[in-house]
Amino acid sequence: MRRMTFYEVLGVPPDSDAAEVRRAYLRLARDHHPDRADDAARARSEERMRAINEAWSVLGDPERRRSYDLRLRSGGGDVVATAGPGA
């Protein structure tokens, strides 16, 4: 697993507008929802959804996103362990 920024998790550039971030979240949530996975892939889907939901909880809230962007620009910022966008 590699560590990714919340933008990488959702597959959007940092300068994306709120609507683009929301569309990316909805698409990924639909594609990776554990209820849509077979039993063999369910654990991986659950892990992926945790990362997607965590990214959305920050990037979907304007104030939290602004704070996150400031930390990211200063070399900090949260990262999430995930298998990557195509997982």
Side-chain angles (χ1 to χ4, degrees):
M1 282 192 203
R2 76 180 196 88
R3 299 190 55 87
M4 305 173 75
T5 67
F6 291 143
Y7 291 105
E8 291 172 321
V9 170
L10 295 184
V12 296
D15 62 349
S16 299
D17 64 21
E20 187 176 355
V21 171
R22 182 176 186 275
R23 280 191 303 272
Y25 165 72
L26 292 173
R27 178 182 46 80
L28 289 169
R30 181 189 65 236
D31 293 348
H32 295 282
H33 197 282
D35 290 348
R36 297 186 62 152
D38 60 20
D39 290 337
R42 189 169 311 270
R44 185 177 214 172
S45 290
E46 288 171 351
E47 180 182 329
R48 183 74 173 115
M49 275 305 299
R50 274 193 293 280
I52 291 166
N53 286 331
E54 185 177 4
W56 171 246
S57 74
V58 172
L59 300 183
D61 178 293
E63 189 58 36
R64 290 182 76 190
R65 181 177 179 179
R66 194 171 9 267
S67 177
Y68 176 73
D69 287 344
L70 288 172
R71 285 193 317 266
L72 205 57
R73 277 191 289 259
S74 69
D78 299 344
V79 291
V80 220
T82 184

